[in-house]
Amino acid sequence: MTELSKSIGNTQSILSVCGLGKTYRLPGLWRRTRLTALSGVTFEILKGTTYGLVGESGGGKSTVGKIICGLTKADAGQVMYKGRDLLKFSKRDRKQISGQIQLVFQDCLGAFDPRQSALAALSETLYLRGQKSKKAREEQAKAMLREVGLGLEQEGLRPFELSGGQRQRLNIARALLNKPEILICDEPVSALDVSIQAQILNLLRKIQRERRLTMLFISHDLPVARLMSDTIGVMQNGRLIEEVSAEDLPDGAKHLYTKELLRASQ
Ligand SMILES: Nc1ncnc2c1ncn2[C@@H]1O[C@H](COP(=O)(O)OP(=O)(O)OP(=O)(O)O)[C@@H](O)[C@H]1O
Ligand SMILES: [Mg+2]
């Protein structure tokens, strides 16, 4: 375990995951068998920093993100947020803090109402947050669209009429309207062209810096995660096998698997 993991409880820590375990029941004839997706996953994220979670496909990265967001239940462990264990929250408590931890994922098309324009989608989010004035909602929604780089020309377009990059900008805008403290980005650029990837990564970095957001950045791409993160956690077979400061890479990598990931990305 690294110094970071040992210092759980650090006053700067905003989110700490401790001993997280998760098994899934296999389908059909195999339903008596359980697949271990996570085992003893422990790490902490310091306020205002980005923690990159990397590793092979099926290694458990998204499961960690989903558990933190409350989309999946854990079998064991704790997720401490501001001193309280999120895994013990009732549905009502969870709803109350849901805006504070927002998820941005890869394929966001299905997360939007196909009949709503970009502006209407953001306006609805503000309505659900309690903003009853239509005029104020439109003003705030437009300001947010501009912040993420969407202009007048895109305001009236529906999600499927936007390009992949524009749609991801809209997705980020919607997450930001909830004024999150923590943004969980699960492969946010994996579905995009390399040139567009760079634009979205730059946008996320700008937003993180300006809003002092805390971020969990999930990616199978170690160089991308390294670019975005302060600390990198490497997952393999449901375990966190290494934690290393991003600036210490590549030399700081100790585990053979991390070295292989670095080699594969060269
Ligand atoms: N709802 C589910 N039911 C059954 N098994 C699941 C479920 N969700 C995930 N799993 C399994 O749990 C393991 C971890 O999945 P997870 O999606 O967390 O991996 P990942 O690291 O995000 O992979 P990728 O890089 O491909 O996104 C995989 O073996 C996956 O098949
Ligand atoms: Mg995943």
Side-chain angles (χ1 to χ4, degrees):
M1 207 183 277
T2 67
E3 286 305 313
L4 257 177
S5 301
K6 279 188 233 158
S7 70
I8 298 268
N10 183 314
T11 48
Q12 268 205 304
S13 167
I14 185 166
L15 188 90
S16 56
V17 168
C18 195
L20 210 59
K22 172 75 185 170
T23 59
Y24 287 110
R25 198 185 289 279
L26 293 181
L29 283 175
W30 301 99
R31 64 185 176 280
R32 286 175 188 275
T33 315
R34 297 191 79 93
L35 173 137
T36 302
L38 296 179
S39 180
V41 174
T42 299
F43 64 91
E44 88 176 323
I45 315 183
L46 304 185
K47 198 168 168 42
T49 68
T50 299
Y51 190 97
L53 210 50
V54 301
E56 65 197 352
S57 180
K61 307 180 296 296
S62 294
T63 304
V64 172
K66 284 187 209 156
I67 290 173
I68 295 171
C69 291
L71 297 175
T72 299
K73 284 194 170 154
D75 299 335
Q78 292 177 318
V79 175
M80 301 300 292
Y81 173 59
K82 294 181 171 174
R84 295 175 70 195
D85 184 1
L86 292 182
L87 302 187
K88 296 213 172 91
F89 270 35
S90 64
K91 271 194 183 156
R92 200 160 142 222
D93 288 346
R94 190 81 226 192
K95 208 170 164 199
Q96 272 178 351
I97 63 118
S98 65
Q100 293 169 39
I101 304 178
Q102 287 285 298
L103 179 64
V104 170
F105 47 92
Q106 178 183 342
D107 184 11
C108 55
L109 186 56
F112 287 97
D113 181 339
R115 294 162 302 180
Q116 272 184 341
S117 68
L119 189 62
L122 296 196
S123 181
E124 185 187 39
T125 301
L126 288 164
Y127 181 79
L128 295 173
R129 279 189 56 83
Q131 177 56 267
K132 299 294 177 232
S133 154
K134 192 168 181 234
K135 191 162 170 269
R137 284 202 306 271
E138 280 205 5
E139 275 170 16
Q140 285 175 39
K142 285 182 184 202
M144 182 54 75
L145 286 170
R146 300 301 172 269
E147 185 175 340
V148 299
L150 292 174
L152 202 60
E153 320 81 70
Q154 284 95 34
E155 266 178 30
L157 298 184
R158 288 168 291 177
F160 63 89
E161 294 168 328
L162 295 169
S163 70
Q166 289 168 344
R167 196 157 50 237
Q168 194 55 298
R169 287 178 192 271
L170 180 63
N171 198 22
I172 293 167
R174 189 168 62 176
L176 291 181
L177 280 184
N178 285 299
K179 298 199 166 47
E181 277 198 83
I182 300 178
L183 200 59
I184 299 183
C185 298
D186 189 353
E187 307 277 6
V189 297
S190 300
L192 304 174
D193 280 359
V194 177
S195 60
I196 309 294
Q197 281 192 6
Q199 290 175 12
I200 300 294
L201 293 174
N202 283 337
L203 173 67
L204 285 170
R205 279 162 62 121
K206 177 177 115 38
I207 285 165
Q208 200 249 346
R209 217 178 30 242
E210 289 175 358
R211 294 178 170 249
R212 297 198 180 142
L213 276 176
T214 304
M215 215 187 286
L216 176 63
F217 189 88
I218 298 172
S219 177
H220 63 276
D221 190 329
L222 183 48
V224 166
R226 187 180 165 200
L227 181 79
M228 297 296 294
S229 312
D230 299 281
T231 306
I232 300 278
V234 183
M235 289 196 69
Q236 187 185 31
N237 293 330
R239 292 180 178 275
L240 192 81
I241 56 164
E242 175 157 23
E243 203 174 61
V244 59
S245 158
E247 61 182 18
D248 288 345
L249 286 173
D251 297 342
K254 290 193 182 71
H255 204 285
L256 191 63
Y257 178 67
T258 313
K259 290 180 185 171
E260 274 173 21
L261 281 181
L262 283 164
R263 239 193 326 269
S265 61
Q266 272 166 3

